[in-house]
């Protein structure tokens, strides 16, 4: 079954800005609006535009230009936005770098992306980013500003904001030349929607990173359409702890704010009490965070003491008016997305509103610019309408390519990308997601979706979140194992969990192995997702 973009007509994309210089031009119509608010700083759109223009001129003077790979290594702060905009507006290929990555992982990312110049901050939440670079790049600490390292052969300069005493750090780029302004304006005029904008990496802990390349056109248009669908306006104030270096933070937060004039509320580190204080003080209207963060805030003693009446959408459903809260967990509006599609490629028809019962558990309809088909995983043939199979996607929002891979390795001959997700479309064009192809568990001849089991377990009182994997078994092929994190202060037993699951799942879907873990015991990838392979080893280790 093939579906086209049905949320609105694809012609909506014709109205969208298609590159960073166009976005900045639109924001100049409302220059005084707040772009970023943190506990320590405030940045207006006018300030971001002016500061990034100056930095862009200095970068041009230093030899950075279209296609130069510029790494951005900061926490969520004003200088991240200024640095990323400066490089983007002159056509450099930006490489947002993970502040979660230890030195060795960071070095692998720098080498894989062929990063040439880094714009970096000194620390995040008191932890040195500079030490991390030295740890990961042998020889850097003993060298000077003429960087030439086998570990990162293309890297030539590291600029540290606002300054650094390390001999290998180059001064922060500055220029006062009047010529620079004219050259910068001319460079911006040469930026096109087809130009490469960003390499977003979805790296693992041991393998080489997978770096997804998006053009200006694919990502900027996508963010604009998402913002319109969610009805985000300049009056909105979006809180999210998602790092700007992830596609969720970049598309759903940074670029949506640039598209609409909305403000971003950000912190270095999520902490429920401090976050609730920020939400109240700054009158947040959208909360966009992971379920565990939403639950931590809702469970905190300060939750009922904070005025969150301005919240009108997002994941903190407890802050919404009662009529906006879903009566049941599977009536929560969903979306399905991935780095390769720049974020969501389907979304609930009416975001931030409970699903009607007939759409229970659905993941929405295609975003404009996204087209889908469902194929049989074995034959790769398209399945009949309503059939289940692997979801493939193509369209204007799709990545241009995966870095260092040829197109025939990534796309089908007719341009489709195999997402690895399983699902089906109902007769109204709503997607129903049934799990990842690579994570499906086959036990005694039956397929089990971890997503389905996790959704049931997460609905049990006292469960903060759960993660389900398959463990090898000599006769059944695999058995189902669940790692369960209880709510703070809650004690659960395996028997209670099993009885609960049996009430809602077929017997072959009920976990036969259960481990109760604390959150800090969960193996996580640098992307913030659970490392399922490592979780299997946790079970196998006993």
């Amino acid at each position: 079954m093939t579906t086209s973009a049905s949320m609105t007509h694809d012609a909506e994309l014709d109205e969208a800005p298609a590159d960073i210089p166009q976005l900045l031009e639109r924001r100049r119509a409302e220059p005084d609006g707040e772009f970023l608010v943190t506990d320590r700083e405030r940045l207006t759109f006018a300030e971001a535009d002016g500061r990034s223009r100056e930095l862009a001129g200095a970068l041009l003077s230093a030899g950075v230009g279209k296609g130069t790979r510029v790494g951005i290594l900061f926490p969520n702060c004003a200088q991240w936005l200024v640095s990323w905009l400066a490089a983007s507006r002159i056509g450099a290929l930006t490489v947002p770098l993970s502040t979660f990555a230890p030195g060795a992982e960071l070095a692998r990312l720098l080498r894989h992306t062929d990063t040439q110049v880094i714009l970096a901050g000194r620390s995040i939440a008191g932890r040195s980013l500079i030490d991390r670079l030295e740890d990961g790049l042998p020889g850097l600490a003993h060298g000077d500003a003429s960087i030439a390292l086998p570990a990162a052969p293309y890297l030539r300069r590291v600029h540290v904001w606002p300054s650094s005493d390390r001999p290998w750090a180059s001064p922060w780029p500055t220029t006062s030349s009047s010529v620079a302004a004219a050259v910068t304006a001319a460079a911006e005029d040469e930026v096109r929607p087809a130009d490469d904008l960003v390499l977003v990496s979805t790296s693992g802990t041991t393998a080489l990173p997978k770096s997804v390349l998006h053009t200006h056109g694919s990502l900027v248009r996508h963010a604009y359409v998402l913002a319109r669908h969610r009805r985000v306006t300049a009056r909105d104030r979006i809180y999210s702890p998602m790092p700007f270096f992830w596609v969720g933070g970049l598309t759903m937060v940074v670029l949506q704010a640039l598209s609409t004039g909305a403000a971003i509320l950000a912190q270095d580190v999520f902490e429920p009490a401090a976050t609730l204080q920020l939400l109240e003080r700054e009158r947040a209207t959208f909360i966009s965070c992971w379920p565990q963060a939403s639950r931590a805030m809702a469970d905190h003693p300060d939750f009922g003491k904070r005025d969150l009446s301005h919240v009108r959408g997002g994941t903190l459903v407890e802050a919404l008016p009662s009529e906006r809260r879903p009566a049941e967990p599977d009536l929560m509006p969903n979306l399905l997305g991935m780095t390769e599609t720049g974020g969501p490629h389907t979304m609930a028809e009416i975001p931030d509103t409970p699903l009607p019962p007939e759409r229970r558990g659905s993941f929405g309809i295609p975003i404009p610019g996204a087209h889908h088909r469902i194929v049989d995983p074995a034959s790769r043939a398209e399945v009949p309408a309503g059939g289940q199979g692997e979801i493939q996607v193509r369209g204007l929002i799709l990545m241009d390519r995966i870095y260092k891979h040829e197109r025939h390795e990534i796309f089908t001959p007719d341009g489709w990308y195999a997402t690895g997700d399983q699902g089906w479309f109902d007769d109204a064009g709503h997607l129903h997601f049934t799990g990842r192809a690579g994570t499906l568990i086959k036990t005694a001849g039956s397929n089990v979706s971890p997503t389905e089991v996790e959704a049931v377990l997460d609905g049990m009182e006292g469960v903060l979140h759960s993660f389900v994997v398959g463990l090898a078994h000599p006769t059944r092929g695999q058995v189902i194992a669940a790692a369960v994190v209880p709510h703070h202060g809650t004690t659960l037993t395996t028997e209670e969990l099993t009885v609960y699951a049996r009430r809602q799942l077929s017997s072959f879907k009920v976990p036969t192995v259960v481990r109760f873990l604390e959150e800090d015991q969960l193996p996580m990838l640098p992307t913030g997702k659970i490392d399922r392979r490592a979780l299997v080893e946790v079970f196998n280790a006993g």
Side-chain angles (χ1 to χ4, degrees), residues 36 65 78 83 123-124 153 174 183 195 217 222 256 261 301 396 425 430 435 437 467 485 493 505 509 514 525:
L36 177 74
S83 299
S123 64
I124 175 172
T174 59
V183 173
D195 289 339
H222 188 31
Q256 282 198 44
L396 292 177
F425 281 94
H430 290 253
F467 299 96
V485 179
T493 67
L505 293 169
K509 298 180 181 179
V514 177
L525 295 167

Side-chain angles (χ1 to χ4, degrees), residues 299-333:
D299 290 345
H300 196 276
D302 288 354
F303 181 76
K305 304 174 186 177
R306 296 296 179 187
D307 178 8
L308 303 180
S309 58
H310 291 85
V311 176
R312 67 181 186 87
T315 55
L316 187 59
V317 295
E318 293 84 355
L320 298 174
S322 57
E323 66 274 10
R324 302 283 301 282
R325 301 177 200 166
E328 303 171 53
D330 56 358
L331 295 181
M332 186 78 178

